[in-house]
């Protein structure tokens, strides 16, 4: 029988016995533990990105035209483009050395706060995809669910008048419900009719997008006296509290959600049931679990998390609902979940990394000639390398490389 | 020694053949019947009674056609009511005595057709000078369906051999990008077309290598490749095309080729036979793949590999080689679909120009149950719903329907179709499972 568990990924076991530290580190490399494979995949993707930066650079392309006369020109131009691009990426995402000498003109923690602002929705979206993965469902519908969340949270945020604190909680609940309903529809259809979630989520994404476009042209949802398709601003009582720099408390929600997801998946009965349904639905059914109910529950949870992404956007980052409120977080959430290998902790780390990429990409595009799109190529390439440990093993002469990828959990059409 | 041959009763060895019809549950029978009745009542009351006074007008010929057929005019409301009565009758028939498999197929098709026609009658009533252009509607529907059909054929070839392909969207996108870039830079549409095919094929190579050799989960892989293709084409658009749009992204369009006589048939003539080369290639591919999949050695092997790779391997079919070949051929077809979006259509590339067409094509594959004919019918349906909103936007309906809701229609139709009509699908048995020799 052909099976999903690929025996090629399982190499010889690492030797046991007494070893010194150096030997253990070397073994950790040679026998490719998860961190090593992730780091190597990251390096490969950065190298690939560097090639793209060079190719996207006009000067490099020009000097490539006379490569055989002056090969050094090409390398110099390429190096200039690559180093400028990646250093701008670092400046935008982590730390700008200029801020130390600018006497307060440039915020020291500005880049970090930009990174964290982007990380919050990525973590929430990643958790949404990861939770569904654990129950064997592939939720590509984060985009639609977060849009519904943003619509509901935004509507409560700019039309209702409630005391501060209560207003925020009600708006958050509305966003959660909006996302949960949109996700729940998918789970219900899967449970009752067997409609595959990959198709229904993609279609509901479009439905949500058009619904948002319709609402933004309606009286009462569109800001009065505005020709642009934008909602009124969120009332100050419903805003997510501001922390520092550009950072709002969406990050705290994301971290709390990550802890809750960890508890749900690895410590609760419900999580155990969901994982059982994901690992082997037939065995789960034999053990007396309702796999249909599992599908509905997990999609409601997944949708609720995606709804929180919408809250973070509508109540925190944007404070207004527009047509592009999803900001591409819906699809980036999938790569985050894959990079995080479906575990809440990994998703938080992956969210931070991709948040840094996003924040740095903006600075890179504004300060160098390299478009921010390079980042959106590097991200899937990282995941591609991680998903194929055998490739990493071949490239770096490892004796074994473990994937532990959540990839195995997404079922085919018949699953 | 000779044994006397016993006279054998011939009938004893003739296997009797009996068609067993699975009895339909009472609940399902009534459910389907009520669904028909509802459709009929909606047709009668909403489209029939709800129609405005005045005739519905349908323009059949376009200005400049060889044979001019006068614009059809008839009372739209009355016709819609008649259609409603017919659909109700179909529903009563189902309630009294459930249809068999073939009859059900006919009943659904007729109902859907009458429902849509009645809807058009309703939409067209009111202002007889403002005629609905049937020619335009058909032509636009065909144009909108071509990339979906090609995408669906791509999906079928890959999935029938056991490789799930969610990356149709990405293959189309790079195909569209490469087509526009190379056609514009080389001032040669042929080179653009070949570049499209090659670009779609390259993504397919990635899909095949990672799915077959590195055993990556194929659904995940497809989604990642889509993201990759989107990022790559955005990068190319912003860094190459926008640096010199006149040189790298000039408007270059394949010219339509008119087939004499056939192109003069009213309504469908110019829509089907005055089109560019990609559409004719599509016709060829539709026939070729439909025949090849069920009538040739290649088709038999493809299906064997997709259903039971181990058995196929046992009889000497190279499982993974077949899969590589099919996935890459499929990639070429998806690249062609991409070419249709740029050099076969608008002539220019724009970011995310495929805008979900690959996913709709994927839905068409599933909706059509992995058969070319079913998938093409589904693709035509999606193409039609897509174009209907534009036609209705021009004509204006008696009750204004927000354009956003019309734009949603294809996606909602897909959800209903996949959930209601298809339900638990039966994909090729080994679809998505990598095969490794033991």
């Amino acid at each position: 029988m052909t099976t999903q568990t690929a025996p090629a990924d399982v190499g010889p076991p690492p030797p046991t016995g007494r070893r010194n530290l150096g030997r253990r580190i070397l073994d950790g490399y040679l026998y490719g533990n998860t961190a090593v494979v992730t780091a190597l995949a990251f390096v490969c993707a950065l190298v690939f990105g560097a090639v793209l930066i060079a190719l996207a650079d006009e000067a490099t392309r020009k000097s490539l035209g006379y490569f055989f006369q002056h090969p050094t020109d090409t390398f110099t131009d390429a190096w200039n483009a690559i180093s400028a691009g990646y250093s701008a990426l670092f400046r935008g995402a982590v730390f700008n050395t200029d801020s130390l000498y600018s006497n307060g003109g440039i915020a020291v923690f500005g880049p970090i706060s930009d990174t964290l602002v982007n990380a919050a929705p990525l973590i929430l979206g990643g958790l949404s995809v990861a939770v569904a993965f654990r129950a064997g469902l592939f939720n590509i519908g984060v985009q639609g669910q977060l849009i519904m969340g943003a619509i509901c949270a935004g509507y409560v945020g700019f039309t209702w008048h409630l005391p501060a604190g209560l207003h925020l909680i009600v708006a958050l609940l509305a966003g959660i419900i909006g996302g949960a309903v949109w996700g729940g529809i998918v789970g219900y259809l899967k449970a009752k009719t067997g409609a595959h979630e990959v198709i229904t989520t993609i279609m509901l994404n479009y439905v949500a997008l058009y619904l948002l476009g319709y609402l933004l042209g309606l009286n009462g949802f569109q800001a009065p006296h505005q020709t642009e398709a934008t909602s009124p601003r969120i009332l100050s009582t419903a805003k997510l509290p501001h922390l520092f720099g550009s950072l709002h408390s969406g990050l705290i929600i994301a971290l709390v959600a990550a802890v809750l997801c960890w508890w749900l998946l690895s410590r609760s009965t419900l999580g155990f049931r969901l994982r059982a349904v994901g690992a082997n639905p037939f065995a789960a059914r034999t053990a007396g679990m309702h796999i249909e109910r599992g599908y509905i529950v997990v999609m409601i949870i997944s949708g609720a998390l995606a709804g929180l992404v919408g809250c973070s956007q509508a109540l925190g980052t944007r404070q207004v609902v527009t047509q592009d409120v999803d900001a591409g977080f819906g699809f980036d959430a999938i790569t985050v979940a894959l990079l995080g290998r479906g575990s809440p902790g990994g998703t938080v780390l992956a969210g931070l990394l991709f948040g840094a990429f996003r924040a740095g990409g903006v600075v890179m595009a504004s300060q160098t000639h390299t478009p921010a799109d390079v980042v959106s190529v590097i991200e899937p390439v990282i995941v591609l390398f991680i998903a194929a440990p055998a490739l990493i093993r071949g490239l770096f002469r490892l004796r074994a490389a473990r994937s532990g990828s959540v990839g195995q959990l997404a079922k085919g059409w018949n699953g | 020694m000779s044994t006397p041959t016993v006279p054998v009763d011939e009938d004893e060895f003739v296997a009797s053949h009996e068609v067993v019809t699975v009895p339909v549950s009472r609940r399902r029978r009534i459910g389907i019947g009520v669904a028909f009745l509802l459709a009929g009542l909606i047709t009668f009351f909403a489209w029939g009674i709800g129609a405005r006074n005045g005739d519905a007008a349908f323009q059949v010929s376009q200005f400049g056609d060889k044979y001019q057929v006068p614009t059809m005019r008839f009372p739209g409301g009355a016709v819609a009511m008649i259609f409603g009565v017919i659909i109700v009758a179909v529903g009563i028939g189902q309630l009294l005595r459930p249809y068999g498999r073939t009859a059900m197929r006919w009943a659904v098709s007729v109902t859907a057709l009458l429902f849509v026609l009645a809807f058009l009658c309703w939409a067209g009533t009111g202002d007889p000078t403002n005629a609905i252009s049937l020619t335009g509607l058909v032509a636009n529907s065909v144009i909108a369906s071509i990339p979906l059909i090609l995408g669906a054929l791509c999906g079928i070839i890959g999935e029938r051999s056991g490789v799930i392909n969610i990356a149709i969207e990405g293959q189309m996108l790079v195909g569209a990008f490469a087509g526009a870039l190379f056609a514009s830079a080389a001032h040669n549409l042929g080179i653009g077309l070949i570049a499209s095919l090659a670009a779609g094929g390259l993504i397919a190579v990635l899909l095949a290598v990672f799915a077959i050799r590195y055993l990556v989960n194929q659904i995940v892989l497809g989604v990642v490749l889509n993201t990759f293709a989107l990022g790559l084409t955005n990068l190319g658009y912003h860094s190459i095309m926008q640096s010199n749009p006149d040189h790298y992204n000039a408007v270059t369009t394949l010219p339509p080729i008119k087939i004499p006589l056939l192109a003069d048939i009213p309504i469908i003539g110019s829509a089907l036979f005055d089109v560019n080369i990609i559409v004719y290639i599509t016709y060829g591919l539709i026939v070729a793949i439909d025949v090849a999949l069920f009538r040739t050695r290649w088709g038999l092997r493809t299906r064997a590999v997709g259903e039971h790779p181990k058995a196929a391997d046992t009889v000497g079919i190279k499982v993974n080689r077949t899969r590589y070949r099919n996935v890459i051929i499929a990639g070429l077809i998806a690249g062609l679909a991409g070419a249709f979006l740029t050099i076969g259509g608008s002539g220019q590339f724009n970011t995310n120009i495929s805008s979900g067409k690959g996913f709709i094509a994927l839905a068409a594959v599933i909706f059509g149950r992995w058969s070319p004919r079913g998938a093409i019918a589904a693709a035509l349906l999606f193409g039609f719903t897509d174009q209907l909103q534009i036609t209705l936007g021009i004509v204006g309906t008696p009750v204004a329907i927000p354009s956003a809701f019309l734009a949603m229609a294809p996606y909602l139709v897909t959800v209903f179709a996949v959930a209601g009509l298809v339900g638990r699908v039966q994909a090729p048995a080994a679809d998505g499972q990598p095969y490794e020799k033991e």
Side-chain angles (χ1 to χ4, degrees), chain B residues 9-348:
Chain B
D9 185 7
E10 284 280 313
D11 288 343
E12 237 179 288
F13 291 94
V14 176
S16 66
H17 176 76
E18 192 184 353
V19 177
V20 181
T21 46
V22 185
V24 185
S25 77
R26 190 184 147 82
R27 216 176 121 193
R28 188 173 161 78
R29 188 186 81 190
I30 293 177
I32 294 173
V34 168
F36 276 125
L37 282 186
L38 266 180
L41 292 177
I42 291 175
T43 310
F44 188 84
F45 286 103
W47 313 146
I49 308 271
R52 280 178 296 201
N53 291 327
D55 288 352
F58 291 97
Q59 191 182 350
V60 184
S61 301
Q62 274 181 324
F63 181 74
D65 275 5
K66 203 166 186 181
Y67 307 104
Q68 286 291 335
V69 180
T71 301
M72 291 191 296
R73 284 173 206 289
F74 48 81
V79 172
M81 280 190 256
I82 295 170
F83 287 168
V85 170
I86 297 175
I87 298 175
V88 167
V90 169
I92 292 170
Q94 159 75 16
L95 283 178
L96 294 177
R97 192 167 172 279
Y99 298 119
R101 184 177 273 214
T102 324
M104 178 59 86
R105 200 171 290 170
W106 277 102
V108 170
S109 318
V110 167
T111 303
L113 183 72
L114 290 182
F115 186 85
V116 169
L117 285 179
F119 176 76
L120 280 178
C121 287
W122 170 77
T125 52
D127 184 6
T129 52
N130 198 353
I132 292 180
S133 169
L134 276 187
T135 338
L137 185 56
V138 172
N140 290 334
S141 302
V142 170
I143 296 296
S145 307
I146 294 294
L148 305 181
I149 291 175
L150 287 170
L153 291 176
C154 159
I156 287 171
I157 296 181
E159 302 216 352
R160 278 284 182 157
S161 72
V163 181
I164 291 180
N165 188 354
I166 303 216
I168 304 174
E169 173 84 4
Q171 293 169 344
M172 268 191 200
L173 199 52
V174 292
F177 174 79
L181 180 68
F182 283 87
S184 177
H187 298 290
N188 188 326
L189 287 160
I191 290 178
L193 205 55
I194 291 167
S196 286
L197 295 180
L202 276 178
I203 297 282
V205 169
L206 284 180
L207 175 70
V209 169
F210 279 94
I212 298 168
R213 184 172 151 74
Y214 293 114
L215 314 172
V216 178
N217 179 284
Q218 293 164 11
I219 291 193
V220 170
L221 179 60
V223 172
V224 171
L225 284 178
N226 284 334
T227 322
F228 177 67
L230 182 62
L232 208 58
T233 51
N234 279 354
L235 178 64
Y237 179 76
H238 289 132
S239 68
I240 300 176
M241 285 181 163
Q242 280 198 329
S243 70
N244 188 355
D246 294 333
H247 186 55
Y248 292 119
N249 199 13
V251 180
T252 42
T253 325
L254 290 166
I257 304 166
K258 192 168 185 172
I259 297 183
L261 287 178
L262 285 177
D264 295 324
I265 303 171
I267 302 186
I268 57 165
S270 61
L272 295 181
F273 301 107
D274 187 10
V275 284
N276 65 41
I277 180 98
I278 299 178
V279 183
Y280 293 116
I281 298 177
T282 307
Y283 297 160
L285 281 174
I286 291 172
V287 177
I289 290 175
D290 189 52
V291 172
L293 202 52
F294 300 105
R295 299 273 185 278
T296 66
R297 196 171 68 167
W298 169 79
L300 185 64
R301 291 186 170 183
T302 297
R303 288 180 290 133
V305 163
E307 292 291 346
H308 203 317
K310 197 171 187 186
D313 195 10
T314 312
V315 297
I317 300 171
K318 300 264 189 296
V319 174
N320 284 341
R321 190 188 291 174
T322 311
R323 286 183 173 175
Y324 270 115
R325 193 171 51 194
N326 277 22
V327 170
I328 291 167
I329 294 173
L332 300 180
I333 296 175
L336 188 68
F340 186 75
L341 299 175
T342 49
I343 58 176
S346 66
Q348 266 185 312

Side-chain angles (χ1 to χ4, degrees), chain A residues 313-404:
Chain A
Q313 283 292 94
L315 307 177
T317 315
R318 300 281 181 93
Q319 304 191 350
V320 65
V321 181
T322 50
Q323 183 70 52
D324 61 343
V325 72
D326 70 291
F329 282 120
F331 277 89
D332 282 2
I334 299 167
T335 21
V336 167
L338 291 172
L339 183 62
R341 294 161 195 248
S343 80
T347 304
V348 170
L349 293 179
L352 288 172
L353 177 66
F354 281 15
F357 270 144
R358 270 189 174 237
V362 175
V363 173
M364 184 169 74
S366 65
Q367 295 187 358
T368 69
H369 298 295
T370 309
D373 306 304
V374 168
V375 169
S376 52
V377 181
I378 293 177
E379 288 172 358
V381 171
I382 297 178
V383 176
L384 208 53
F385 277 114
I386 285 178
L391 179 62
I392 291 283
R393 191 174 60 212
L395 280 176
F396 292 94
R397 310 266 158 225
L398 308 184
R399 277 176 220 154
R402 266 162 283 163
S403 71

Side-chain angles (χ1 to χ4, degrees), chain A residues 116-133:
Chain A
L116 294 178
V117 151
N118 282 303
L122 285 171
I123 292 171
L124 286 167
L127 289 172
S128 164
V129 179
V131 167
F133 260 139

Side-chain angles (χ1 to χ4, degrees), chain A residues 1-381:
Chain A
M1 265 306 289
T2 59
T3 50
Q4 291 279 27
T5 50
D9 293 344
V10 185
T16 47
R18 290 172 65 90
R19 288 167 296 153
N20 60 23
L21 186 69
R23 182 68 212 170
R24 261 184 293 173
I25 291 173
L26 186 66
D27 282 344
Y29 172 78
L30 285 177
Y31 293 96
N33 60 31
T34 316
V36 170
V37 171
T38 309
L40 291 177
F42 184 68
V43 171
C44 289
L46 283 186
V47 170
F48 184 79
V51 174
L52 285 181
I53 292 177
L55 286 178
D57 181 53
E58 214 170 349
T60 313
R61 283 207 304 272
K62 277 214 180 79
S63 50
L64 198 63
Y66 55 88
F67 181 79
F68 291 104
Q69 280 87 18
H70 290 282
T72 47
D73 276 16
T74 310
F75 291 119
T76 323
D77 287 340
W79 173 251
N80 287 340
I82 294 166
S83 58
Y86 277 152
S87 64
L89 193 67
F90 184 80
R91 275 204 307 281
V94 186
F95 185 67
N96 187 351
T97 46
D98 292 349
S99 61
L100 290 180
Y101 313 112
S102 71
N103 207 4
I106 305 170
V108 178
F109 294 111
I112 287 288
S113 78
D114 286 345
T115 294
L116 294 178
V117 151
N118 282 303
L122 285 171
I123 292 171
L124 286 167
L127 289 172
S128 164
V129 179
V131 167
F133 260 139
R134 287 302 191 83
L137 293 186
F138 193 10
N139 181 11
I140 315 189
V142 175
Q143 189 192 23
Q145 291 147 18
L146 90 84
I147 287 174
M148 296 311 285
I151 289 175
C152 296
Y155 185 76
V156 170
F158 58 69
T159 48
W160 293 12
H161 293 273
L162 292 170
L166 182 66
H167 196 180
L168 176 64
I169 293 169
V170 173
L172 283 173
L173 278 179
I176 292 173
I177 291 170
V181 166
W182 214 241
I185 294 173
V186 173
Y188 179 82
L189 289 177
K190 169 106 181 166
K192 296 294 170 192
T193 70
H196 199 277
E197 75 277 4
V198 166
I199 297 295
T200 46
T201 49
I202 291 171
M203 297 305 142
L204 287 179
N205 282 348
Y206 287 103
V207 173
L209 264 175
Y210 284 115
L211 190 66
L212 176 61
Y214 169 69
L215 288 174
L216 285 174
L218 272 192
N219 263 336
F221 202 93
Q222 189 183 14
H225 319 300
Q226 274 273 349
T227 44
E228 285 170 58
T230 168
S231 75
R233 287 194 77 77
I234 303 292
L235 299 174
S236 61
T237 44
K239 280 178 188 166
L240 282 169
H242 176 262
L243 295 180
F244 70 90
S246 55
L247 184 64
H248 56 77
S249 42
L251 184 72
I252 296 173
I253 295 180
L255 295 177
V256 170
V259 173
L260 284 178
C261 282
W262 168 81
W263 179 83
L264 173 81
L265 287 174
S266 48
R267 291 287 180 275
S268 72
T269 323
L270 177 64
F272 175 74
R273 288 208 186 108
L274 295 181
R275 282 185 294 138
V277 168
N280 189 339
F282 303 106
R285 196 198 293 280
T286 312
M289 298 173 191
H290 294 274
I291 61 172
E292 277 80 14
R293 201 185 294 163
Y295 289 148
I296 298 177
V297 168
V298 80
M299 279 312 296
I300 287 175
I301 296 173
S302 181
L305 286 164
L308 278 173
V309 182
C311 294
S312 161
Q313 283 292 94
L315 307 177
T317 315
R318 300 281 181 93
Q319 304 191 350
V320 65
V321 181
T322 50
Q323 183 70 52
D324 61 343
V325 72
D326 70 291
F329 282 120
F331 277 89
D332 282 2
I334 299 167
T335 21
V336 167
L338 291 172
L339 183 62
R341 294 161 195 248
S343 80
T347 304
V348 170
L349 293 179
L352 288 172
L353 177 66
F354 281 15
F357 270 144
R358 270 189 174 237
V362 175
V363 173
M364 184 169 74
S366 65
Q367 295 187 358
T368 69
H369 298 295
T370 309
D373 306 304
V374 168
V375 169
S376 52
V377 181
I378 293 177
E379 288 172 358
V381 171

